[in-house]
Amino acid sequence: MSNVDEMSFEDAIKELETVVGQLERGDVALDESIALYERGAALKARCEAKLKEAEEKVAKITFAEGGEPKGTAPLDG
């Protein structure tokens, strides 16, 4: 298994969908279900963090008078 903290959003969401599918089918042993649930929680947190990063980047985009993007501005923290 890949280290969740190093996964791209796309890889994390894809694996999260796989984990959810396995849990929904219910055809895994209890111990494996617990491990899958824990992995799913970590993947969900990774996806949320990557989405927040993207939102912050978009929020920092500044525009020139003509409406074209001209750079970024710091977010108020």
Side-chain angles (χ1 to χ4, degrees):
M1 283 190 187
S2 301
N3 182 349
V4 173
D5 293 334
E6 297 173 2
M7 295 177 87
S8 68
F9 174 81
E10 292 78 11
D11 290 341
I13 198 80
K14 183 177 178 181
E15 186 175 337
L16 181 57
E17 290 170 349
T18 300
V19 166
V20 168
Q22 289 176 302
L23 289 170
E24 286 178 341
R25 282 193 307 276
D27 58 357
V28 293
L30 179 60
D31 288 343
E32 188 177 349
S33 291
I34 292 168
L36 284 169
Y37 183 84
E38 290 171 343
R39 178 78 175 176
L43 290 162
K44 178 182 176 280
R46 177 65 176 171
C47 290
E48 288 172 344
K50 294 301 284 180
L51 283 173
K52 183 173 170 121
E53 285 177 23
E55 288 172 353
E56 289 174 354
K57 286 180 184 177
V58 169
K60 292 191 308 184
I61 296 173
T62 59
F63 295 91
E65 289 180 27
E68 2 6 269
K70 69 174 185 175
T72 60
L75 285 176
D76 294 335

